[in-house]
Amino acid sequence: VSQTSIRDVAERAGVAVSSVSRVLSGHRDASPAMRRKVMAAVDELGYVPDILAQSMRLRSTKSIGFVVGDISNPLIAEITLGAETTLQHSHYSLLLTNSEDQPELDASHIRLLLQRRVDGLLLSLTSETHPSTLSVLGEVGVPVVLIDRELPGTVEVQASTVLVDHKSGMRDAVSHLLDLGHRRVGLILGSSLRFAREREAGLQSAYAARKLQNASMVLCGPLDRGFAETATAAMLDDADPATAIVCGANQLLPGTLSELRRRKMRVGRDISLVSCDEQPLTELFDPPISVIRKSNFEIGVRSADLLLRRLKEPERPPETVTVPVEFVPTESCAPPGPARNS
Amino acid sequence: VSQTSIRDVAERAGVAVSSVSRVLSGHRDASPAMRRKVMAAVDELGYVPDILAQSMRLRSTKSIGFVVGDISNPLIAEITLGAETTLQHSHYSLLLTNSEDQPELDASHIRLLLQRRVDGLLLSLTSETHPSTLSVLGEVGVPVVLIDRELPGTVEVQASTVLVDHKSGMRDAVSHLLDLGHRRVGLILGSSLRFAREREAGLQSAYAARKLQNASMVLCGPLDRGFAETATAAMLDDADPATAIVCGANQLLPGTLSELRRRKMRVGRDISLVSCDEQPLTELFDPPISVIRKSNFEIGVRSADLLLRRLKEPERPPETVTVPVEFVPTESCAPPGPARNS
DNA sequence: TTGAAAGCGCTAACAC
DNA sequence: GTGTTAGCGCTTTCAA
């Protein structure tokens, strides 16, 4: 497609390049006759404008840079779908970069994207505190949207933000467990990003709201299956074992399930279980697994919307929106059983 | 970052723009003294070259267009990770477009990406037969890699291809079921893309290899949970009910599992079950679900490699590589039980 | 070895 | 209403 330039079209139509440009960009100063001539030449030659050259002139690439930690994480993939779909409708293209969960790559990807002259940035950062990321964010000249991240207050980065209300979801889940009679709730956390902090805070607030002494057990480690196994084992082997376990991230659930299976513990009888983030099959376990869920697609859409808004109105100040979260209880949560007395 | 141009650097260093360009592009005709002067100016100004302008001159954007049906499909997301990671290492950026499983969008995305002057195309097409896609593919001027798609032989599209050996995987799975004594194997298929055709062929070949009359039951419909439920029900309600069910795609498994649960049928006892494509939790069901698996990450890597190779050597003819597939049997496959005689 | 200048394909003054 | 022309930031002949 397109090796023909606007000059070829002009020549073919017997008019000036500027006239071709005017017709194609829908400028009003173009007579019907001119329109016809130009469009005929365009059709005959199969001319398609070169976006690169347009970008160069207009100083706008109509492209957005998206930095993610790991696109193969289903949650991120859904966010990406929401964002790309939304941007597409506004004629923006998405440049995707994976940081492979390495904080150093966040900053270098941002720099690369700026070099590519993206009009805006959508960031699902791997780290909220890495100095080089914070430093480059201080001087990006384009609108930025942070996805579920909060940077340390000291740096004043001009960015819109889409926040997820993890705290409420966790509060609801833990409250439910407390109401069932659990007192020793275990929470497994990987990472120390905002979602982990909020989830821990949600758990605390559930205890606090019921004026119960906080007898929870929070274990934090790498965001992987191996750690989830270890943590689950630790929670069950504790002198005061947890009677309910909350998996603080989708990547952890397999580890917890496998440790429970190894011990032949039945979910919803010997142990109560809640998972953060719905996955395709959680609902099909027997019993179905309680989840704290959110719409990742919506997160992507809202992020893109926030960005588009600032692209249209550059003077507009950054905004923050919060996406709700929902706790879906199932029989995987039951009153603490006799196992506790063993 | 970067509002300074190469002219500013030249001025600052008191040299010509061409000299700056030479130094920065590592041209050998540049004296050490010149190098020093230029680099000093670059550092002082924090100059970063504008990739857009470079692309325009060099007629290469160092970017690859990736068309996918649905990035939120975990399989696609993993392929994307493999591809992006590989391209990144060769300093290519990835432009991602979602076709939302609408065949018409494939072609328009390809056109858009060509307008953006991508150096190459990675395609996970929504349709292998849509005319406008085939037509635009006939005149793309850049290297193309098809990911697990085969276009009708009539169109001679110059493209490298990464194929997945679905057929072998399915043959192994069905052979295993036949060896267990099953004769009536049900296969649920969504879509009619290559993977579905190959899976059906694999099933046929398993029967053929054992010289058994093909008593399989293949149902094809939309690639969603609802259809999987319907198809599962149909297979079980048939006059000669299936004793084993193979889910032909990850999106179908939830439907089959839910229909089985509704009927209180126990996997691995009342019915045997195999799923195509490993998912995070398949292994944690009780019993674990047999899967036909492959490395999606590898598919992405191989696709990118094939593209990079043609980018480096434009004269090189397109190649085809095949990625292996593995059947992982579990107790979800068992001999047909008494249920059959009911 | 370095500099001056042309030009990639396009848009937008500006002049007619 | 239309044409001429000057760049956008860069690379690359070509001359010096």
Side-chain angles (χ1 to χ4, degrees):
Chain A
V1 173
S2 160
Q3 232 45 266
T4 66
S5 83
I6 195 170
R7 295 240 278 262
D8 304 321
V9 179
E11 201 167 317
R12 175 89 179 206
V15 302
V17 282
S18 51
S19 297
V20 178
S21 175
R22 272 191 285 260
V23 168
L24 261 41
S25 59
H27 197 286
R28 48 197 173 70
D29 286 356
S31 67
M34 177 64 87
R35 288 222 135 73
R36 258 192 312 277
K37 274 192 287 184
V38 169
M39 292 316 290
V42 165
D43 287 348
E44 287 165 32
L45 273 58
Y47 168 73
V48 178
D50 183 331
I51 298 190
L52 222 58
Q54 285 181 325
S55 299
M56 179 123 172
R57 247 331 294 235
L58 301 175
R59 319 210 60 64
S60 154
T61 54
K62 280 286 186 178
S63 69
I64 300 300
F66 192 13
V67 177
V68 303
D70 175 14
I71 185 70
S72 77
N73 178 339
L75 309 181
I76 299 286
E78 288 171 11
I79 292 175
T80 306
L81 178 63
E84 203 277 327
T85 304
T86 306
L87 292 174
Q88 197 183 109
H89 292 144
S90 292
H91 308 291
Y92 280 87
S93 295
L94 195 72
L95 272 159
L96 179 77
T97 65
N98 263 279
S99 294
E100 302 166 59
D101 289 330
Q102 300 169 323
E104 321 80 58
L105 289 184
D106 279 347
S108 68
H109 285 156
I110 292 171
R111 267 188 282 264
L112 171 67
L113 291 166
L114 291 173
Q115 249 193 299
R116 286 200 175 273
R117 300 258 102 101
V118 293
D119 293 346
L121 244 20
L122 243 32
L123 306 176
S124 173
L125 297 173
T126 288
S127 157
E128 291 164 313
T129 53
H130 199 280
S132 70
T133 305
L134 297 179
S135 129
V136 68
L137 280 183
E139 46 188 44
V140 295
V142 300
V144 172
V145 174
L146 298 173
I147 305 179
D148 204 28
R149 298 290 184 272
E150 283 177 309
L151 307 186
T154 47
V155 283
E156 252 328 314
V157 172
Q158 284 285 84
S160 295
T161 308
V162 173
L163 259 23
V164 179
D165 193 5
H166 303 288
K167 189 171 166 182
S168 297
M170 183 60 77
R171 192 197 308 115
D172 293 349
V174 175
S175 296
H176 180 71
L177 291 169
L178 294 177
D179 289 349
L180 286 169
H182 293 273
R183 289 300 172 266
R184 183 78 165 151
V185 174
L187 171 60
I188 308 178
L189 256 27
S191 113
S192 57
L193 291 172
R194 176 176 191 276
F195 68 86
R197 297 194 303 269
E198 292 293 305
R199 282 167 183 167
E200 180 165 5
L203 171 135
Q204 315 281 13
S205 81
Y207 277 92
R210 277 169 180 56
K211 305 212 196 308
L212 289 168
Q213 196 210 322
N214 186 340
S216 69
M217 187 173 178
V218 180
L219 259 32
C220 192
L223 199 53
D224 61 31
R225 178 175 172 154
F227 171 66
E229 281 177 11
T230 312
T232 304
M235 286 175 174
L236 298 171
D237 290 337
D238 192 73
D240 182 11
T243 58
I245 292 181
V246 182
C247 272
N250 58 337
Q251 298 97 321
L252 301 170
L253 184 58
T256 295
L257 285 174
S258 98
E259 181 61 22
L260 293 178
R261 181 170 65 185
R262 204 178 65 75
R263 294 171 180 244
K264 304 223 175 6
M265 291 183 76
R266 294 159 302 172
V267 171
R269 293 177 56 89
D270 307 322
I271 184 88
S272 288
L273 180 65
V274 173
S275 178
C276 292
D277 299 314
E278 190 173 38
Q279 297 182 53
L281 299 174
T282 42
E283 177 204 347
L284 290 151
F285 274 74
D286 182 27
I289 299 173
S290 304
V291 294
I292 301 175
R293 81 171 165 210
K294 60 187 197 290
S295 167
N296 297 302
F297 185 85
E298 183 187 347
I299 295 173
V301 171
R302 304 299 294 271
S303 303
D305 280 342
L306 245 39
L307 194 58
L308 289 170
R309 203 173 296 176
R310 292 204 59 206
L311 255 17
K312 276 201 206 78
E313 311 167 45
E315 298 312 312
R316 197 184 180 95
E319 300 166 78
T320 296
V321 305
T322 300
V323 171
V325 149
E326 176 192 21
F327 172 57
V328 186
T330 69
E331 309 90 81
S332 78
C333 294
R340 185 159 198 208
N341 310 327
S342 70
Chain B
V1 174
S2 165
Q3 232 43 269
T4 65
S5 85
I6 196 170
R7 294 240 280 263
D8 303 320
V9 178
E11 200 167 317
R12 175 89 178 206
V15 301
V17 282
S18 48
S19 297
V20 178
S21 176
R22 272 190 286 260
V23 169
L24 261 41
S25 59
H27 197 285
R28 49 196 171 67
D29 285 355
S31 67
M34 177 64 87
R35 289 221 136 75
R36 258 193 311 278
K37 273 193 288 185
V38 169
M39 291 318 289
V42 165
D43 287 348
E44 287 165 34
L45 274 57
Y47 169 73
V48 179
D50 183 331
I51 298 189
L52 220 60
Q54 284 182 327
S55 299
M56 179 125 171
R57 254 322 299 233
L58 301 176
R59 317 212 62 66
S60 153
T61 54
K62 281 285 186 176
S63 69
I64 300 300
F66 192 13
V67 178
V68 303
D70 175 14
I71 185 68
S72 77
N73 178 340
L75 309 180
I76 300 286
E78 287 171 12
I79 292 174
T80 307
L81 177 63
E84 203 276 329
T85 304
T86 305
L87 293 174
Q88 197 181 109
H89 291 145
S90 292
H91 307 293
Y92 281 87
S93 295
L94 195 73
L95 272 160
L96 180 79
T97 64
N98 262 280
S99 294
E100 304 166 59
D101 290 329
Q102 299 169 321
E104 320 80 56
L105 289 185
D106 279 347
S108 68
H109 286 156
I110 292 171
R111 266 188 283 264
L112 171 67
L113 291 166
L114 292 173
Q115 252 194 296
R116 287 201 175 272
R117 301 258 102 99
V118 294
D119 294 345
L121 244 20
L122 243 33
L123 306 177
S124 173
L125 297 174
T126 288
S127 158
E128 291 164 313
T129 52
H130 199 278
S132 69
T133 304
L134 297 178
S135 130
V136 67
L137 280 183
E139 45 186 46
V140 294
V142 299
V144 172
V145 173
L146 298 173
I147 304 179
D148 204 28
R149 297 290 183 272
E150 281 177 310
L151 307 187
T154 47
V155 284
E156 251 329 311
V157 172
Q158 284 283 86
S160 295
T161 309
V162 173
L163 258 24
V164 178
D165 192 5
H166 304 289
K167 189 171 167 183
S168 297
M170 183 61 77
R171 193 197 307 114
D172 293 349
V174 175
S175 297
H176 179 70
L177 290 169
L178 294 177
D179 289 348
L180 285 170
H182 294 272
R183 287 300 171 266
R184 184 77 166 150
V185 174
L187 171 60
I188 308 176
L189 255 28
S191 113
S192 57
L193 291 171
R194 177 177 189 276
F195 68 87
R197 298 194 302 268
E198 291 293 306
R199 282 168 183 166
E200 180 162 7
L203 171 136
Q204 316 280 14
S205 82
Y207 276 93
R210 277 172 181 53
K211 307 213 194 310
L212 289 168
Q213 195 210 324
N214 187 342
S216 69
M217 186 175 181
V218 180
L219 259 32
C220 192
L223 197 54
D224 61 30
R225 179 175 171 155
F227 170 66
E229 280 177 11
T230 312
T232 303
M235 287 174 174
L236 297 172
D237 290 337
D238 193 72
D240 181 12
T243 60
I245 293 180
V246 182
C247 272
N250 59 336
Q251 298 96 320
L252 301 171
L253 184 58
T256 296
L257 285 175
S258 99
E259 181 62 21
L260 293 178
R261 182 169 65 186
R262 204 178 64 74
R263 294 170 180 245
K264 302 222 173 9
M265 290 184 75
R266 293 159 304 171
V267 170
R269 292 175 58 87
D270 308 322
I271 185 88
S272 287
L273 181 65
V274 172
S275 177
C276 291
D277 299 315
E278 190 174 38
Q279 297 182 54
L281 300 174
T282 41
E283 178 205 347
L284 290 151
F285 273 75
D286 182 28
I289 298 171
S290 303
V291 294
I292 301 174
R293 79 170 165 211
K294 61 187 196 290
S295 167
N296 297 301
F297 185 85
E298 183 185 348
I299 295 172
V301 171
R302 303 299 294 270
S303 304
D305 280 342
L306 245 40
L307 194 56
L308 289 170
R309 204 174 295 175
R310 293 204 59 208
L311 255 14
K312 277 200 207 79
E313 310 167 46
E315 297 314 312
R316 199 187 180 93
E319 300 166 78
T320 297
V321 304
T322 301
V323 171
V325 150
E326 177 193 18
F327 172 56
V328 185
T330 68
E331 308 91 79
S332 78
C333 294
R340 184 159 202 211
N341 309 328
S342 71

